[in-house]
Amino acid sequence: MSAEQGPDQAVNAEPGRCPTCGAPVEPTARFCESCGAPLTPTEAAAEQSVAELPVELTASVVQPEAGTAEPTLVLPRPCASCGGVVGADGYCETCGTKAPSERDHYVERPASWVAACCDRGIRHHRNEDATAVAASAEPGKRAVLVVCDGVSTADESDIGSLAAARAARDVLVASRPAGLGVPESRAAAIEAALVTSAERGNAAVIASTSADTANPSSCTFVAVVLEDDLCVFGNVGDSRAYWITDPGSGAPVQLTTDDSVAQLRIASGVPKEQAEEGPQAHAILKWLGRDSQDFRPTTGSVLLNGSGWVLVCSDGLWNYASEASDLQALMTQLTATAGSEPLALAEAMVRWACDQGGKDNISVALARRP
């Protein structure tokens, strides 16, 4: 609608424009995104890509026996504009607004004590982060948390990161190494499984993206396996895992060490805040993908004491709160308003990062240790 045209004036129908309000419309649109008027598509909708397909959630770390799996319950998405139901065609059945891609924002809640939220953020045009989580029904028993952050300058990183996260999660769900039964042996066995999960994740990136591109898909990788009080972690790149204790339950700690230019500067004596804000600070030295020279994760383990949260996240969150103590203060603050339910807290942390500027995609995966 032009500045001179009143709202009640008729609009001449033009190709590529809404006949009701004159706003530009896509040839496949069934409703106008500006006024909600019904449209007649002039082109068939393109087939969905892997990255746009609904995100599959994992309900449990216990794999069902053959033939006993229950059908997956798919809940309708609410419309962000009016709260109505988003139909299978991607448009709200009430107001006609086109919903954002499910890849832009999705959540996972495999159990009452584990959840994840993955979001496009404010400034990026697509979500190249991915989460994949799994958990036992019994709180604190066993959980798997995986986050992969696609490299924005590489092609199809939104597809590669999601494929990698799913593949790595599935390896860690299927693998239940016990070692010799003592914590040290069990940790070593799980660390070996983490190495395998990164290998499978790397293979998934390569298999799911174009083979002929000169700029192949790539992503970071961080995963945590939590079994009772044993926390085993591994990472490639600069996505992180933290142990965020409840206030009064000990000191919070960053579990992983980045493979990044910033970390090299920190190791050479540059103050952390300065190093993380300097030129090329987020350039990573290791990643998953076709052109990776080293995708073996750095692994470690710790026995957790007291109550708190295992947090796995991308730099879209820790850009705004890098220190474990800052994250502890943030989570304490958000818990006071959002509550201590993991999904509500994960979504609150994502909203907080968006409020700080949302300059990157944001992934938050949480497991609660009571």
Side-chain angles (χ1 to χ4, degrees):
M1 183 183 300
S2 68
E4 293 82 12
Q5 188 175 39
D8 295 325
Q9 290 179 269
V11 177
N12 293 327
E14 299 178 20
R17 290 190 174 275
C18 173
T20 301
C21 71
V25 295
E26 295 293 331
T28 58
R30 294 179 59 248
F31 294 92
C32 175
E33 293 185 32
S34 295
C35 70
L39 303 171
T40 301
T42 57
E43 292 182 11
E47 196 170 311
Q48 285 182 302
S49 71
V50 172
E52 294 172 331
L53 293 175
V55 177
E56 298 173 2
L57 307 186
T58 298
S60 174
V61 295
V62 180
Q63 292 189 314
E65 297 179 5
T68 64
E70 296 182 358
T72 301
L73 176 63
V74 180
L75 299 177
R77 282 195 291 161
C79 172
S81 297
C82 75
V85 174
V86 176
D89 60 359
Y91 289 86
C92 176
E93 296 176 353
T94 301
C95 70
T97 300
K98 184 179 181 181
S101 165
E102 286 184 271
R103 187 68 177 86
D104 284 351
H105 177 96
Y106 67 89
V107 298
E108 301 178 86
R109 187 179 182 270
S112 63
W113 61 289
V114 171
C117 182
C118 186
D119 188 85
R120 180 172 61 89
I122 302 298
R123 301 188 189 179
H124 280 218
H125 71 283
R126 65 181 181 182
N127 185 12
E128 293 164 331
D129 273 14
T131 64
V133 299
S136 61
E138 181 181 347
K141 190 63 178 176
R142 190 171 196 264
V144 172
L145 311 176
V146 181
V147 167
C148 293
D149 179 355
V151 176
S152 296
T153 54
D155 296 338
E156 300 179 311
S157 286
D158 54 331
I159 300 174
S161 64
L162 186 57
R166 288 173 171 175
R169 174 203 61 197
D170 291 348
V171 168
L172 296 172
V173 166
S175 178
R176 299 293 295 269
L180 299 177
V182 298
E184 294 81 2
S185 179
R186 186 158 55 105
I190 297 174
E191 287 181 39
L194 280 166
V195 173
T196 300
S197 73
E199 293 172 351
R200 296 285 180 83
N202 185 73
V205 175
I206 296 171
S208 66
T209 53
S210 301
D212 56 356
T213 180
N215 191 20
S217 173
S218 54
C219 65
T220 69
F221 164 83
V222 60
V224 166
V225 176
L226 181 63
E227 291 187 354
D228 298 315
D229 61 347
L230 177 62
C231 178
V232 187
F233 49 88
N235 72 294
V236 177
D238 65 352
S239 294
R240 294 180 178 176
Y242 293 85
W243 166 233
I244 306 298
T245 52
D246 291 340
S249 295
V253 61
Q254 179 181 328
L255 300 173
T256 55
T257 301
D258 298 345
D259 300 307
S260 67
V261 170
Q263 184 59 42
L264 287 181
R265 292 174 178 159
I266 293 169
S268 68
V270 177
K272 185 175 184 179
E273 183 176 355
Q274 179 182 337
E276 290 180 349
E277 295 179 355
Q280 298 296 310
H282 286 276
I284 56 175
L285 307 178
K286 294 171 65 175
W287 57 89
L288 306 186
R290 189 183 312 278
D291 60 352
S292 175
Q293 301 299 313
D294 180 10
F295 52 82
R296 184 182 179 88
T298 303
T299 60
S301 65
V302 63
L303 289 175
L304 304 179
N305 294 310
S307 59
W309 297 92
V310 174
L311 164 65
V312 180
C313 64
S314 64
D315 59 353
L317 176 72
W318 69 252
N319 275 333
Y320 303 110
S322 175
E323 295 287 351
S325 57
D326 293 337
L327 285 166
Q328 182 190 55
L330 171 66
M331 296 176 75
T332 301
Q333 172 191 336
L334 293 177
T335 299
T337 55
S340 58
E341 195 276 324
L343 181 55
L345 181 56
E347 292 189 291
M349 294 175 76
V350 166
R351 286 194 299 271
W352 176 84
C354 286
D355 290 342
Q356 309 313 303
K359 66 181 181 180
D360 203 347
N361 308 143
I362 309 152
S363 290
V364 175
L366 293 171
R368 176 66 183 168
R369 176 176 163 78

